[in-house]
Amino acid sequence: MQATLVSQVFLPLALFIIMLSVGMSLTIKDFQRVAAHPRAILLGVVTQLICLPLLGWVVVQLFGLPVLLAAGLMILTLAPGGATSNAITLLSRGDTALSVSLTAVNSLIVPFTLPLLALLVFQGLSMGPMSIEFPVFQAIQQMLLITLLPVCVGMLLGHFFPVINARLQKTCRSLALILMLMTVVLLVVTSWERLVLLLPQLALPVLTLVLAAMGLGYLAARFFGLPEPQRITLLVEVGLQNAGTALLVTSTLLKSPEMSASALVYGVLMQVPALLLIGWRNRQIFSQHWQREETVS
């Protein structure tokens, strides 16, 4: 299967359905919670949209990444997590309500902030010998259609047709997961030779970015006196970005295999610290389970 078919059809469709499932899980209460807990929400948004891109810039400069790989990694820093971060927050015993509220806020603002901030980033990277053009208005239009529109449709469905929404929500999530997994597999297969060559360059910078961002989220929450569950939430939200959105921009809009390679490698490697976090946060539960098993045996 050609890479263009995957990036132009499968990926936008998968992301549309993912965002539809996100919208189906959101309610007005998730937005009202922003007013009830403004400090945590504001800290999460500022850390994700300002501090994380600055951290990403330090990482790409530190490792001296080529321009296109650096641009792909920077796009990731501008794409806050969505449904995946909600699930990881839940499994890590963080504040899931805060995670969902951040998703609600980000789903409204990221279609505008990502293209505008990406323009600034690309202008900075273009100071070298290679110039990168970023179609801002086309990006805003595409992200509105593929991210914000399905969220709004999902919320309207949940508000006006709650019974139908409840029946469709699980199916929609399963379909979204299957489509995204298929898309990632197909992109990996069609880009295998390039990924093998670029993985040695990307692995360490990607893991450094993920771990540093997780630490940034946790320390920022601790500095401002947030309780432990909210610290875990910001650790996840800041540390684990939306590889699907980054792939949409780099593969579908910019049509850059090198930038997409950064997003693909990130999407795979970020699972390692995520699983370690889940295991660490549930270590007592696992320990109690093994103790019961030993007692029974």
Side-chain angles (χ1 to χ4, degrees), residues 138-200:
Q138 184 183 352
I140 291 175
Q141 182 183 26
Q142 189 172 53
M143 294 198 67
L144 286 174
L145 290 175
I146 299 179
T147 61
L148 184 56
L149 176 62
V151 168
C152 295
V153 171
M155 290 189 65
L156 290 173
L157 182 63
H159 182 74
F160 290 106
F161 306 99
V163 177
I164 297 177
N165 182 74
R167 292 176 181 175
L168 293 178
Q169 190 169 352
K170 186 175 181 180
T171 302
C172 189
R173 286 182 177 178
S174 299
L175 178 60
L177 177 61
I178 292 171
L179 282 173
M180 182 53 71
L181 287 175
M182 287 177 56
T183 301
V184 171
V185 170
L186 290 172
L187 284 172
V188 169
V189 170
T190 55
S191 308
W192 179 251
E193 294 183 0
R194 183 177 287 105
L195 283 174
V196 171
L197 293 174
L198 296 178
L199 183 60

Side-chain angles (χ1 to χ4, degrees), residues 55-75:
L55 176 62
W57 186 266
V58 171
V59 170
V60 299
Q61 297 300 321
L62 178 65
F63 286 93
L65 287 177
V67 172
L68 292 178
L69 297 183
L73 207 56
M74 288 302 300
I75 289 291

Side-chain angles (χ1 to χ4, degrees), residues 84-93 206-207 210-211 214 232 235-237 239-241 266-282 286:
T84 302
S85 63
N86 298 158
I88 294 174
T89 298
L90 176 64
L91 294 173
S92 302
R93 296 166 52 233
V206 165
L207 286 174
V210 173
L211 294 175
M214 293 173 77
I232 296 300
L235 179 153
V236 173
E237 292 291 337
L240 305 176
Q241 299 303 287
Y266 181 97
V268 174
L269 293 184
M270 78 172 191
Q271 307 300 330
V272 176
L275 291 174
L276 291 175
L277 173 66
I278 293 170
W280 174 256
R281 290 287 292 170
N282 292 278
F286 295 146

